[in-house]
Amino acid sequence: MELWELTAREQIRDLLARYTWAGDRGRIDDLVALFLPSGVLDVGDHGGRWEGQAAIGAELRAVVARSAGGASEEGYGAGPVHHHVSSIAIDDLAAASATVRSYFAVHTAHGVDHWGRYRDRVVNTGVGWAFAERIVTVDGAAPGSRFVAD
């Protein structure tokens, strides 16, 4: 493995971590900045496909308001939210792009809320990696999930 590949893999893992930390703290502007201006966040049956940073930001703010009863940019008002991301597989890695697969589980004060998979297309912008597209697939949810409707 060459040095550029090791560096790219670590930068991509950092991108995923920054997304997770920003989201868990309700820091929507920080999260949105991790997408290309034309980036896509696709949450499928749980909200649709949001194209562009403005749409992603608006939709995520609506999710925060619905799930937290009016949280601030510094965190959720209705208790903690912790995403745990694992089994990160970086595929088709080139100097300018890659695809990434991973699992997630979301924990709240009541335990595991929901879980599923991410499928990402990421690109190297020259100053760092960014999401071109993130597809979220929810595989299951606990009864009474804070985020996933029954």
Side-chain angles (χ1 to χ4, degrees), residues 8-85:
R9 287 177 180 279
E10 189 57 26
Q11 290 172 339
I12 292 167
R13 284 196 239 346
D14 185 64
L15 172 68
L16 274 60
R18 288 181 185 285
Y19 175 98
T20 301
W21 279 92
D24 285 351
R25 278 149 188 76
R27 299 183 65 92
I28 304 305
D29 291 340
D30 293 346
L31 187 149
V32 168
L34 300 172
F35 284 83
L36 295 175
S38 61
V40 172
L41 180 55
D42 186 336
V43 296
D45 295 340
H46 303 283
R49 184 176 172 88
W50 312 326
E51 299 185 22
Q53 288 178 333
I56 293 169
E59 294 292 344
L60 288 175
R61 282 183 182 82
V63 169
V64 168
R66 278 193 312 273
S67 65
S72 71
E73 284 285 318
E74 293 303 316
Y76 291 98
V81 176
H82 297 159
H83 284 69
H84 298 269
V85 180

